[in-house]
């Protein structure tokens, strides 16, 4: 660790003693002291006291402009009044029934109006719906294998816990990546049915179909890979995947857990003008509550309708969450909201780019919809292998330096990205950029010193 980075981490420790103490106590009962492995980072994570609008406070009372927004689940921002009101009203009428209540149809209608699907089933998390979307593709095609992209994250279940963040000594040929199970305890047999391809590489997909004729049920992709920061598909790539899948009798599942609400009014389907076979939605569709959904054509969903495929869940469509979801679609994720957010994101990306250039940083900023990221890499990444070479120390320096100046620029880890909420303002973006301008000269010096001693080679 170099001195300037160390200095920022020491400053963080001085500013956040209550978080350190809370974490030290939590590790006794909660592995890693956190409820999701992603939430831990050294020396300890910030513990949050409250959030309103675009801001949160930690336990020490420090205020942050929040671009973590629960890993992109809060495009509504904290405590959005329309969502709070819908939930408060609904709380008076009962919170759980495990019986239908009519809001299923209301929300399904909202979803089918925005995305190119005819029928919808609901769940509570992105992981749940990607898991069921794989089952749906298998049930609809009668086939077993699935293709996923190297570096793609679709939740915590076994079938896609393969090649999420494989290491250089294990990932093999970039054209034909070696599938690498990403956690101890993942059933080898389950992941044997998972094939891995590089993103933005159609010939590699053709080769997998040729090597496994009649066996591949479908592919699951994130249209913009947002678990390697921010990686755009090449022009025509998603359409190309669709054509290859259909030529071979397979289906394309588009995991829109991140993009569905945040990229555009109609998600990545609208943004890239594509019609995948199955879509998965989660995160920001719930306005801060745990809501997820998967949808497809009537023909594909027929396997559930005719009870060939089983899908169930005690908490599915619990009324409080559904009230939040309906309010989010109708009152938060409006066409006007996307205009507001697109403007703020353009200002942020352009502002970052100007500061990068002024300081001679080897980096770039990219973004679309409500999301974007700063990448310490000399050119636009196209796949996981590019992202793998991002300079993590300089990124860590950037993250702590921003936090110490009151900007939570994105969740911790350089595979994440910022989110802008409907409650962020132009003043929030100005402040964010002002802080980045303060921090950038030290990052540039660090990069120059590190490249002089060969500490990092991108
Ligand atoms: C693209 C994508 N799919 C699925 C998931 C899993 O969602 P959840 O954490 O709600 O289970 C995530 C979570 O970050 C995600 O980014």
């Amino acid at each position: 660790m170099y001195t300037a980075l160390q200095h920022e981490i020491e400053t963080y420790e001085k500013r956040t003693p209550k978080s350190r103490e809370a974490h030290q106590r939590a590790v006794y009962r909660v592995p890693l002291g956190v409820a999701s492995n992603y939430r831990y980072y050294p020396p300890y994570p910030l513990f949050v006291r409250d959030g309103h609008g675009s801001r949160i406070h930690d336990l020490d009372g420090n205020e942050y402009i929040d671009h973590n927004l629960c890993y992109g689940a809060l495009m509504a921002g904290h405590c959005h009044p329309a969502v709070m009101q819908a939930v408060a009203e609904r709380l008076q009428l009962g919170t759980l029934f495990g019986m239908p209540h009519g809001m299923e149809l209301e929300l399904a209608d909202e979803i089918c109006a925005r995305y190119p699907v005819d029928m919808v089933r609901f769940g509570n998390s992105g992981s749940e719906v990607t898991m069921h979307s794989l089952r749906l593709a298998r049930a609809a095609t009668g086939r077993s294998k699935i293709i996923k992209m190297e570096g793609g994250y679709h939740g915590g279940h076994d079938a896609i816990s393969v090649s999420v963040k494989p290491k250089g000594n294990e990932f093999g040929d970039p054209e034909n990546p070696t599938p690498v199970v990403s956690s101890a305890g993942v059933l080898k047999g389950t992941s044997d049915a998972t094939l891995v391809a590089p993103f933005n590489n159609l010939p590699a997909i053709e080769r997998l179909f040729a090597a496994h004729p009649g066996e591949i049920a479908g592919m699951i992709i994130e249209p913009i890979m947002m678990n390697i920061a921010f990686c755009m598909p090449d022009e025509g790539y998603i359409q190309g995947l669709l054509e290859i899948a259909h030529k071979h009798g397979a289906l394309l599942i588009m995991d829109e857990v991140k993009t569905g609400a945040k990229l555009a009014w109609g998600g990545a389907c609208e943004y890239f003008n594509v019609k995948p076979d199955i879509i998965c939605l989660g995160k920001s569709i719930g306005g801060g509550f745990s809501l997820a959904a998967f949808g497809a054509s009537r023909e594909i969903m027929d396997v559930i309708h005719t009870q060939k495929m089983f899908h169930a869940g005690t908490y599915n469509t619990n009324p409080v969450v559904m009230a939040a979801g309906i309010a989010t679609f109708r009152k938060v994720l409006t066409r006007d909201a996307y205009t507001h957010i697109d403007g703020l994101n353009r200002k942020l990306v352009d502002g970052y780019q100007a500061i990068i250039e002024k300081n001679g940083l080897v980096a770039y900023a990219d973004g679309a919809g409500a999301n974007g990221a700063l990448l310490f890499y000399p050119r636009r990444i196209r796949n996981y292998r590019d992202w793998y070479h991002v300079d993590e120390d300089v990124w860590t320096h950037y993250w702590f330096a921003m936090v110490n100046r009151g900007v939570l620029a994105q969740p911790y880890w350089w595979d994440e990205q910022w989110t802008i909420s409907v409650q962020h303002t132009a003043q929030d973006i100005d402040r964010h950029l002002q802080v980045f301008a303060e921090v950038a000269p030290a990052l540039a010096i660090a990069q120059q010193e590190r490249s002089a001693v060969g500490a990092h080679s991108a």
Side-chain angles (χ1 to χ4, degrees), residues 340-405:
H340 171 68
I341 284 201
D342 284 345
L344 295 186
N345 206 12
R346 185 58 21 236
K347 182 177 166 82
L348 192 58
V349 171
D350 290 349
Y352 260 82
Q353 205 52 42
I355 295 165
I356 287 166
E357 280 159 31
K358 182 168 172 223
N359 289 276
L361 278 169
V362 182
Y364 70 94
D366 201 0
N371 292 116
L374 166 64
L375 284 112
F376 290 98
Y377 196 68
R379 55 190 178 279
R380 222 176 189 208
I381 62 164
R382 292 190 59 244
N383 54 37
Y384 176 71
R385 300 292 172 107
D386 286 340
W387 173 85
Y388 190 70
H389 294 288
V390 163
D391 190 327
E392 1 185 309
D393 279 357
V394 174
W395 183 88
T396 307
H397 183 175
Y398 154 74
W399 192 85
F400 279 105
M402 299 293 286
V403 164
N404 289 337
R405 289 156 183 80

Side-chain angles (χ1 to χ4, degrees), residues 73-95:
L74 269 170
M75 179 166 153
H78 298 282
C79 303
H80 191 287
V83 180
M84 292 300 107
Q85 191 189 335
V87 167
E89 283 170 11
R90 186 62 230 185
L91 279 173
Q92 311 308 314
L93 304 173
T95 61

Side-chain angles (χ1 to χ4, degrees), residues 125-127 130 153-155 222 227 255 257-258 283:
S125 71
S127 299
T130 60
Y153 178 72
H154 305 286
E222 231 197 324
N227 287 282
D255 177 353
V257 165
K258 279 190 168 173
K283 295 206 188 242

